[in-house]
Amino acid sequence: MTTVKTLLGLPGLRLRPRAGADLLDRPVTRIYVTELSDPGRYLSAGELVLSGLLWWRRPGDAEPFVAALARSGAAALAASGADSDGIPDDVVDACERHRIPLLEVPIDLSFSVVTEQVVLALAAASDSSRKRLQAAADAPVETLLERASTELGLPCWVLSGLGRVVAGATPLPMPVEEVVRRYAGKEPGPLTLLPVEGGHAVPWLIAVGGTLSTAQAELAEELAGLVGVTRARAVQPEGELPGEVHVVALRTEGSDESRDVLRELLPGALLLESAGETSYAATGRWPAEAATELSTVEPLLRAKRILCGVSDPAPRDEAREAARYTLEVAARRTGCVTVVPANEVDAHTLLLAGAPAGVRAALRRRVLGPLLDYDAEQHTDLVHTVRVFLECSGSPTRAAKALHVHVNTLRYRIGRAGELLGADLTEFTDQLDVYLALRAGDPPG
């Protein structure tokens, strides 16, 4: 990394510090020559601004010029007083006030020489930075980031498209979900974002805390490649998870991204099966924030919908079947991202979820057919009466109150419904069959 102090050490330039002696560790990314009185619109962070002070005419002229440097994050001002009888005190004072290092260029030194020497120093530093970064190629991601942050002079992070920080020491300037959203929408922001190399459905991003020069961008791209190699080397767990596990079934409708999404969502999980749109994995812990993470990555995927079903803790084979059924519950619901843990699903819903729509319709017709026909012919609603009765735990008093009828009327209707169905609606097993058939006709979810 080239700093202001590095330039002071170049023997061919003979630069002399006039202000900001405590700020010489600032990184320099490029050089910019200007004689504009307010160059703010053309400046960017990390630049060494070179000026012959032709814009200075009287005290007070330095304020807008130096203020523009400070707002842009310029590394330093290198100025020659050849045309102003030395560097005016006004310029020195403004640089001290705005904390901009001021370097005096000898009056006999051509700006072309200064530019050439600085460009060569930046190129040499960039090549050295790349070599030092490549030397850490086999190191963990955290080490790569530390090295890159040092070379770039800017904080760096690795972010997952699921909305979490994979590595990075300092807090991000905004929530990770917001960073991913901006990346998906190609919106500008305070961070420079580059995709980590690799053919993964869920991308990783390199986030750098600032605008990059050409040399810095090249180094960040080098980092993205090295992190991609490190990600590809990650070993997936094998073997058996002990005891009871959650099994997660995940489907990416319209794409084959389920395997990558599941591995990124549950990095410590054991992949059980993967076939195109649907994958299964066993994990010891189901993350409570999974629905948020899947919603964050959804705009980055090709999938039309992301569906996820999760079992309760159980032996693996048993949990796998439960996950399959909860996935079918998710499939019957609406929304781009649907996550259904087993503990959110009633037992009868879970049982019916595995039955195809045709089977559920046939069950409803077989059990309730005579009652449905009677209601259609007589313009009655005994089906509703039976459902309310069963949902009131078979209590005539409670059901009559819910339906706003006399209890004797309720008993008559339930008796008539039982005759039509050939069932005793006071017996538990008959109640269960009829109630499942009633729920088989419910809308998805």
Side-chain angles (χ1 to χ4, degrees):
M1 180 175 66
T2 301
T3 65
V4 178
K5 185 182 292 185
T6 304
L7 303 182
L8 288 174
L10 296 177
L13 297 187
R14 296 175 285 126
L15 302 176
R16 183 167 70 96
R18 294 289 306 277
D22 59 330
L23 305 172
L24 301 181
D25 289 331
R26 287 184 176 179
V28 177
T29 59
R30 59 168 71 89
I31 186 169
Y32 174 69
V33 182
T34 184
E35 297 301 337
L36 296 173
S37 59
D38 185 355
R41 71 177 67 182
Y42 304 108
L43 298 177
S44 58
E47 286 182 324
L48 173 70
V49 178
L50 184 59
S51 178
L53 305 182
L54 298 181
W55 46 266
W56 193 87
R57 292 288 182 271
R58 62 188 63 82
D61 287 352
E63 176 62 26
F65 183 91
V66 178
L69 270 58
R71 286 194 302 270
S72 70
L77 169 62
S80 171
D83 295 312
S84 55
D85 295 326
I87 297 180
D89 292 340
D90 179 41
V91 176
V92 177
D93 292 343
C95 287
E96 290 284 9
R97 188 164 55 253
H98 289 284
R99 296 185 59 76
I100 293 293
L102 174 60
L103 313 180
E104 184 171 6
V105 179
I107 60 174
D108 62 338
L109 190 64
S110 166
F111 274 15
S112 63
V113 173
V114 177
T115 301
E116 179 183 7
Q117 291 294 312
V118 172
V119 169
L120 288 174
L122 291 172
S126 176
D127 187 55
S128 298
S129 294
R130 186 177 294 105
K131 289 179 179 178
R132 286 191 292 269
L133 189 60
Q134 290 171 344
D138 295 329
V141 172
E142 291 78 7
T143 302
L144 281 171
L145 282 184
E146 290 175 6
R147 184 69 55 84
S149 294
T150 299
E151 300 298 339
L152 292 170
L154 294 167
C156 299
W157 300 266
V158 176
L159 312 177
S160 166
L162 284 168
R164 57 185 172 83
V165 178
V166 177
T170 60
L172 279 167
M174 64 175 65
V176 188
E177 296 84 355
E178 176 68 11
V179 177
V180 176
R181 186 191 67 77
R182 287 176 179 269
Y183 176 78
K186 299 181 180 178
E187 299 177 18
L191 300 173
T192 298
L193 302 174
L194 299 87
V196 168
E197 295 180 11
H200 299 86
V202 180
W204 279 8
L205 307 175
I206 300 294
V208 184
T211 304
L212 305 183
S213 66
T214 301
Q216 286 176 313
E218 291 175 353
L219 189 62
E221 289 172 1
E222 186 75 32
L223 173 64
L226 294 174
V227 172
V229 172
T230 300
R231 184 184 187 187
R233 285 201 305 260
V235 178
Q236 295 297 325
E238 298 180 356
E240 296 290 333
L241 291 173
E244 295 185 334
V245 295
H246 294 276
V247 169
V248 181
L250 189 138
R251 180 179 300 159
T252 50
E253 287 190 348
S255 77
D256 58 355
E257 299 164 305
S258 62
R259 180 188 183 98
D260 274 355
V261 174
L262 196 52
R263 279 187 163 173
E264 184 69 11
L265 179 68
L266 303 169
L270 176 65
L271 190 68
L272 302 178
E273 177 186 342
S274 184
E277 292 188 355
T278 305
S279 298
Y280 293 81
T283 180
R285 186 186 69 85
W286 170 246
E289 67 279 7
T292 300
E293 293 185 358
L294 291 174
S295 296
T296 299
V297 78
E298 183 267 334
L300 302 176
L301 303 179
R302 303 191 316 272
K304 298 175 182 176
R305 300 175 70 205
I306 303 176
L307 308 174
C308 185
V310 189
S311 76
D312 288 323
R316 196 179 80 175
D317 291 344
E318 179 183 324
R320 187 190 178 286
E321 287 303 303
R324 180 169 70 86
Y325 283 112
T326 53
L327 180 63
E328 294 310 313
V329 174
R332 296 174 65 194
R333 296 181 179 178
T334 58
C336 293
V337 177
T338 304
V339 178
V340 180
N343 61 9
E344 294 182 5
V345 183
D346 294 332
H348 60 268
T349 304
L350 190 61
L351 291 171
L352 290 170
V359 172
R360 293 195 301 273
L363 171 65
R364 179 177 172 81
R365 184 68 198 173
R366 176 169 58 81
V367 176
L368 302 178
L371 197 57
L372 294 169
D373 292 342
Y374 181 85
D375 277 349
E377 293 170 0
Q378 302 298 320
H379 305 290
T380 57
D381 198 0
L382 284 181
V383 169
H384 178 63
T385 299
V386 171
R387 179 160 182 160
V388 172
F389 173 70
L390 295 177
E391 289 179 345
C392 289
S393 304
S395 168
T397 303
R398 288 173 54 197
K401 184 176 181 180
L403 291 167
H404 305 290
V405 299
H406 193 276
V407 68
N408 289 337
T409 301
L410 187 284
R411 287 194 176 98
Y412 169 78
R413 291 180 182 177
I414 293 301
R416 181 64 178 137
E419 292 174 3
L420 291 167
L421 295 174
D424 184 350
L425 293 178
T426 65
E427 290 293 329
F428 173 73
T429 53
D430 285 356
Q431 288 178 339
L432 180 60
D433 287 345
V434 171
Y435 188 69
L436 286 174
L438 287 165
R439 293 304 298 263
D442 284 354

